[in-house]
Amino acid sequence: MIAAMPGERSPASTLAEQLNLPLCEISVHTFPDGESLVRVPQSASTVIVYSSLNQPNDKLINLSLAASALRDIGAQRVILVAPYLCYMRQDKAFNEGEAVSQRVIGEMLASWFDRIITVEPHLHRTQCLDEVFSDTDITVLSAAPLLAEIATRTQQKQGNSIIVGPDKEASRWAEAVATASNLPFIILDKTRTGDTSVSISSAETGAVRHKDIILIDDVVSTGTTLICAAQYLKDCNAKSIKAVVVHALFGEAEYTQMRNAGIKAVHSTDSVRHPTNSIKIAPLLAKTLLQELNS
Ligand code: R5P
């Protein structure tokens, strides 16, 4: 059975259709004091809970209550599908006294679920999530082939494209997309000095002149990285700029700023519901879950 957390009915029902599984919706009532009453309408021996973990703080509490309620009424295996996995950035204490969120949230989720399936977690120094989720199965799916389909279509239409990663963290995806779409790529140099303050430079400005740029990134949060990268690329005489990203976490105001900075179009996966969604991840999730269900 697939169980959709609040707000996830649409992607969860697409997945349920692809897997030919029943779907139920988990309800959450918020009491006047802010506490939650979570109710699961039914259970099954294996339950796949669908909850993307953007804006995660309330969702985490509700998820723990849902996993517990599912087990109380009979679930033996509870799997979390979290297309966006929260709190993966903070993998160390940068200053004394800071919580290592990745470890804390990882341990929490691992204690609630038997398996976790996610797409392109935003990792910096951690190479492999098995280190973080040591007590549970974690499956990380790559969205690079899906992003590459857009790059290939752009190249077929425009014929003069180059993949650009805005910073070294994006190099993994930029390289994978470039390889899959048979396009050249470069990585820009980014220095971040604050949440909404970055500077971009590159020693390879000639490579982008008169080119159709396909900016690739995993997460877009404040949009600052893409906005500054686009401004820089325009100054380098790029012909056109589009962005293809995995997780779109930004708001309407940031979207307007991106377009004002010269980004003609933004394509994102539907890992997080967003107006820029044009890439469906359900087939990717279904393929992995079919293996689980057939094993
Ligand atoms: C950096 O590590 C990532 O690849 C993204 O570039 C970054 O998280 C995007 O954040 P923002 O949109 O706030 O610049």
Side-chain angles (χ1 to χ4, degrees), residues 195-215:
D195 286 346
T196 55
S197 160
V198 306
S199 64
I200 300 273
S201 62
S202 172
E204 300 177 272
T205 50
V208 299
R209 195 170 301 133
H210 308 313
K211 289 283 174 64
D212 296 304
I213 309 294
I214 304 169
L215 271 168

Side-chain angles (χ1 to χ4, degrees), residues 89-234:
R89 281 186 183 89
Q90 179 87 9
D91 54 16
K92 68 173 197 178
F94 294 89
N95 300 293
E96 197 182 314
E98 285 178 356
V100 183
S101 321
Q102 184 193 71
R103 191 187 67 224
V104 177
I105 301 297
E107 282 172 3
M108 249 166 54
L109 289 169
S111 70
W112 302 337
F113 295 97
D114 300 294
R115 182 178 182 186
I116 296 165
I117 298 173
T118 190
V119 180
E120 305 286 18
H122 187 72
L123 304 176
H124 281 197
R125 286 146 294 267
T126 306
Q127 294 301 316
C128 173
L129 275 187
D130 289 335
E131 301 160 26
V132 181
F133 293 86
S134 52
D135 292 338
T136 200
D137 293 337
I138 172 94
T139 304
V140 170
L141 301 176
S142 168
L146 303 176
L147 306 192
E149 285 174 22
I150 304 257
T152 303
R153 281 207 296 276
T154 304
Q155 170 66 358
Q156 281 162 354
K157 260 199 215 151
Q158 294 172 309
N160 199 17
S161 307
I162 182 168
I163 303 290
V164 176
D167 51 33
K168 72 173 187 320
E169 286 86 11
S171 58
R172 202 155 20 124
W173 296 280
E175 186 170 0
V177 172
T179 305
S181 54
N182 204 18
L183 286 171
F185 77 98
I186 63 162
I187 305 299
L188 305 177
D189 298 314
K190 177 176 96 176
T191 308
R192 188 181 280 279
T193 44
D195 286 346
T196 55
S197 160
V198 306
S199 64
I200 300 273
S201 62
S202 172
E204 300 177 272
T205 50
V208 299
R209 195 170 301 133
H210 308 313
K211 289 283 174 64
D212 296 304
I213 309 294
I214 304 169
L215 271 168
I216 299 286
D217 211 347
D218 61 335
V219 178
V220 184
S221 176
T222 65
T224 310
T225 300
L226 288 190
I227 291 164
C228 293
Q231 286 162 344
Y232 181 80
L233 292 163
K234 261 190 0 192

